[in-house]
Amino acid sequence: MLSLLKYLKPFWVGIIFVVILLLGQALAELYLPTLMSGIINEGIIYQAETGISRMEFIFYSGAEMLVFALLAGVFSIIVAYISPRIAAGAARDLRRDLFVKVESFSQTEFDKFSSASLITRCTNDVTQVQNLANIFARMLLYAPILATGGIIMALQRAPGLSWILGLMVVVLIGIVMVLVSIVMPKFQIIQEMTDRLTRVSREILHGLMVIRAFGTQSHERERFDASNVELRDLGLFVARMMAIVNPAMIFMMGFTQVLIIWVGAHNVAYSGLQVGDMMAFFQYSMQVLFSFMMISMVLVMVPRAQVSAERIAEVLNTELSIVDEDNPFGLVDAAVVQFRGVTFSYPNAEAPALENINFTAFPGQTTAIIGSTGSGKSTIANLLLRFYDVGEGEITVSGVDIRKLYQKELREKIGFIPQKGQLLSGTIASNIKYGNTELSDEEIKKVAEVAQAFDFIAEKEGGFAAKISQSGSNVSGGQRQRLSIARALAKNPDIIVFDDSFSALDFQTDAKLRRALKEHTENATVIVIAQRVGTIIGAEQIIVLEEGKIVGRGTHAELLKNCAEYFEIASSQGVE
């Protein structure tokens, strides 16, 4: 929690102003019982000394009390106006830093934090901290000032009744401490359950077509209800515990009022206490009680905000596994790509995903990588893009180890088309121009033609201005993939990586696309990861992977003769 206080620093002027206003409000409210006590105790003497009438005395005294009451009200209104803006500004900066931090995560960090958990931390957790910051000034700063002043003033007015105030404070502190000790552990569980509910919701929404196809809606409803009901039950438990605070405080307030009047009346009857002092003590005691009620309300919120703050800090304090060196090289031109003795294991994996990988990809040539499922093909793409860092060996571009390059510059030189075409909400044009916003209309049309996407774009209402919904759900899988290819080509990259990007295309479109790519990428280093032999049959170099190791290397004709694994793959697909 304390580590997040730095987000309040930009608002230090406003915070100081709020503290001054709260101090003024507390002093004004603390002075009112003193005025009332003076009116009751000294009114008759004051009238005799000044010779003014009773009505004039009441008018002037009442006017003075009204001025202080108005001052307290004005200060309260200003604080209520400023505090939410300070809290909202701090939450805005916190969300921004969280987003920037998550953007800098490598795949290793994403493996540690689930998407559902990151969403909850950036939204629900930040909201919890914002809510606490909002009431922090209005209650947590104001209540101690009012309580401290109330106790001091009460003891000055009626020291003989101080034991009542002491008893009341001890009981209130006990109630708050017991409550916090019970609910604090529950809030951690609630946030974890919120993560789980978010994860289940995302899985169901993303897999809705599969769920319907298999007719498992009832099973998914039960799975959702299990998480939902569990969260509801724990939330009800915490809410019931928190609900105890208000009636407990009201009971204490009523009990204290009766006790003060009972004991104070006896003291007044025996001339041990003036009526005005008893009434002032009564008012100060109510102020102290009210202050503790505010503190208890805040302290009930603190545990949940504390849990949320720890979860946020966990993300912000995560050390990145992939960072730029202090003085990285700049990459002017990307050309030759080399893997030199590369070995890599995923975190907690029993065996390496890649072992002693050596190959060179040259400009103007296509280097293809093929192998069975789980052989490590996509891992090569992830390592080249530096989503992970190699365990042993090195990957070089133009002779420079990619770990010594700026990540941004490295990725700007690479056009990457993932297995699953991922589009962003917007238009077709905005998606194609995503990596090169300065692309002209003619250039957009050109890359769309190369990617075999122009025909279906032209058929859409609005053409390149046609809307793309979230994740590209309003276009087919093949269309998404072709738009993803067009987006990569629009960057005019020096290195193009196709990670099984042709599997969603029919054979005719596949063939047309490969012919167009050959002409368009004649100077680029092309790396094609594929499962279909027909897609890579014309590659200058084909690398065959099996269980993370290279078991064959050569052209299609050479591998049919020399590599049993490749021959088996080709035969199973009817390719000779």
Side-chain angles (χ1 to χ4, degrees):
M1 179 73 77
L2 294 177
S3 63
L4 301 184
L5 291 179
K6 64 180 181 180
Y7 289 95
L8 293 174
K9 286 183 180 179
F11 309 97
W12 64 270
V13 174
I15 293 173
I16 292 175
F17 184 54
V18 166
V19 172
I20 294 173
L21 290 174
L22 290 173
L23 184 60
Q25 180 184 350
L27 291 175
E29 292 186 5
L30 289 170
Y31 190 55
L32 288 173
T34 299
L35 285 174
M36 179 190 66
S37 174
I39 293 171
I40 296 174
N41 290 340
E42 303 172 11
I44 298 175
I45 299 174
Y46 183 78
Q47 291 176 46
E49 291 178 350
T50 59
I52 66 173
S53 67
R54 184 183 298 273
M55 290 304 297
E56 289 176 325
F57 172 73
I58 294 174
F59 176 79
Y60 288 123
S61 300
E64 188 177 5
M65 293 182 69
L66 182 61
V67 168
F68 280 96
L70 287 174
L71 281 175
V74 170
F75 290 158
S76 177
I77 291 171
I78 296 174
V79 169
Y81 179 81
I82 297 175
S83 296
R85 282 157 178 76
I86 293 175
R92 175 203 60 204
D93 295 344
L94 185 56
R95 278 191 294 267
R96 178 201 60 210
D97 286 1
L98 272 172
F99 183 77
V100 171
K101 183 73 174 185
V102 171
E103 271 196 322
S104 65
F105 277 2
S106 69
Q107 200 60 44
T108 301
E109 283 76 53
F110 281 116
D111 292 340
K112 178 182 177 182
F113 298 100
S114 68
S115 298
S117 180
L118 288 173
I119 291 172
T120 304
R121 292 170 199 247
C122 290
T123 53
N124 184 273
D125 286 327
V126 173
T127 300
Q128 297 300 328
V129 174
Q130 179 181 348
N131 291 339
L132 180 62
N134 185 22
I135 66 170
F136 180 82
R138 288 189 288 172
M139 290 189 181
L140 204 57
L141 288 179
Y142 171 68
I145 296 174
L146 188 63
T148 303
I151 291 172
I152 293 173
M153 298 298 288
L155 294 179
Q156 288 179 347
R157 287 292 170 180
L161 302 179
S162 59
W163 64 271
I164 300 176
L165 198 58
L167 176 64
M168 175 188 67
V169 171
V170 170
V171 173
L172 290 177
I173 292 176
I175 293 173
V176 172
M177 295 302 295
V178 170
L179 187 65
V180 169
S181 64
I182 292 175
V183 301
M184 180 68 174
K186 304 299 181 184
F187 283 124
Q188 175 69 40
I189 302 173
I190 284 177
Q191 295 306 104
E192 292 174 357
M193 287 182 177
T194 304
D195 287 348
R196 189 186 314 159
L197 186 63
T198 304
R199 185 181 67 249
V200 172
S201 301
R202 281 171 54 85
E203 288 176 354
I204 292 173
L205 291 174
H206 285 189
L208 199 55
M209 294 180 66
V210 175
I211 293 169
R212 288 174 177 172
F214 283 86
T216 56
Q217 291 95 325
S218 59
H219 170 72
E220 295 302 327
R221 279 196 296 269
E222 291 173 2
R223 193 159 72 97
F224 179 84
D225 286 342
S227 299
N228 195 25
V229 170
E230 192 175 9
L231 179 60
R232 179 205 64 187
D233 291 343
L234 189 58
L236 283 174
F237 172 78
V238 172
R240 286 165 182 156
M241 293 303 300
M242 292 167 59
I244 294 174
V245 176
N246 197 40
M249 292 295 178
I250 292 175
F251 173 79
M252 285 299 300
M253 188 175 293
F255 178 78
T256 304
Q257 289 174 343
V258 173
L259 195 59
I260 291 174
I261 294 174
W262 178 270
V263 176
H266 281 78
N267 288 341
V268 170
Y270 292 105
S271 301
L273 184 68
Q274 290 183 315
V275 175
D277 291 335
M278 186 193 76
M279 294 304 298
F281 185 88
F282 181 89
Q283 291 296 323
Y284 285 128
S285 297
M286 293 305 100
Q287 288 179 340
V288 173
L289 259 175
F290 181 69
S291 300
F292 272 92
M293 184 179 293
M294 288 192 292
I295 292 172
S296 66
M297 290 172 60
V298 175
L299 290 181
V300 167
M301 296 182 65
V302 166
R304 187 166 190 177
Q306 172 70 27
V307 170
S308 295
E310 290 173 356
R311 285 160 53 87
I312 292 170
E314 186 180 5
V315 175
L316 293 175
N317 297 333
T318 296
E319 294 186 8
L320 302 178
S321 58
I322 296 178
V323 294
D324 291 328
E325 293 189 349
D326 293 336
N327 296 298
F329 290 92
L331 187 63
V332 179
D333 293 311
V336 179
V337 175
Q338 281 188 298
F339 277 62
R340 299 174 178 174
V342 171
T343 297
F344 172 75
S345 298
Y346 287 102
N348 304 318
E350 297 180 358
L354 294 174
E355 188 173 350
N356 195 29
I357 300 299
N358 293 277
F359 72 86
T360 303
F362 295 96
Q365 295 184 3
T366 298
T367 298
I369 301 171
I370 194 170
S372 58
T373 301
S375 59
K377 304 186 298 297
S378 294
T379 303
I380 288 179
N382 289 333
L383 293 176
L384 177 57
L385 284 154
R386 213 183 167 201
F387 294 155
Y388 294 98
D389 268 341
V390 299
E392 299 177 16
E394 64 177 4
I395 302 171
T396 64
V397 175
S398 299
V400 182
D401 191 327
I402 62 172
R403 288 171 292 190
K404 297 179 180 179
L405 298 171
Y406 281 108
Q407 295 179 62
K408 187 175 185 298
E409 289 193 10
L410 170 66
R411 291 165 185 160
E412 282 179 347
K413 299 293 183 180
I414 301 175
F416 177 59
I417 304 95
Q419 294 181 17
K420 182 180 179 182
Q422 184 69 44
L423 302 180
L424 304 174
S425 57
T427 64
I428 290 177
S430 68
N431 273 274
I432 294 177
K433 294 170 63 175
Y434 190 70
N436 185 1
T437 56
E438 298 180 356
L439 211 64
S440 67
D441 292 342
E442 190 62 34
E443 289 171 323
I444 293 175
K445 180 181 176 182
K446 176 62 178 176
V447 295
E449 289 175 344
V450 173
Q452 306 303 305
F454 182 75
D455 289 343
F456 80 80
I457 293 174
E459 293 174 359
K460 286 186 172 293
E461 184 179 352
F464 286 95
K467 296 294 183 182
I468 294 293
S469 60
Q470 182 180 356
S471 301
S473 58
N474 60 334
V475 293
S476 69
Q479 291 172 343
R480 276 199 302 272
Q481 199 65 284
R482 281 177 276 174
L483 289 174
S484 297
I485 293 171
R487 178 176 58 196
L489 296 177
K491 292 175 64 177
N492 193 26
D494 297 321
I495 302 169
I496 304 177
V497 180
F498 295 90
D499 186 6
D500 198 15
S501 310
F502 299 90
S503 58
L505 306 179
D506 60 82
F507 288 99
Q508 184 178 4
T509 304
D510 185 345
K512 290 180 180 179
L513 177 57
R514 283 187 284 113
R515 283 195 298 269
L517 281 172
K518 195 69 176 177
E519 299 175 4
H520 189 77
T521 61
E522 57 183 0
N523 297 319
T525 302
V526 180
I527 298 176
V528 178
I529 298 168
Q531 297 188 43
R532 294 200 309 221
V533 173
T535 300
I536 61 171
I537 197 168
E540 285 80 5
Q541 177 182 211
I542 301 175
I543 296 169
V544 185
L545 289 182
E546 185 68 29
E547 295 183 355
K549 300 177 182 177
I550 296 178
V551 295
R553 188 196 317 260
T555 63
H556 171 71
E558 291 171 346
L559 289 171
L560 285 176
K561 296 178 182 178
N562 304 325
C563 181
E565 289 82 0
Y566 184 80
F567 180 80
E568 182 180 349
I569 294 172
S571 299
S572 66
Q573 297 178 15
V575 180
E576 298 181 357

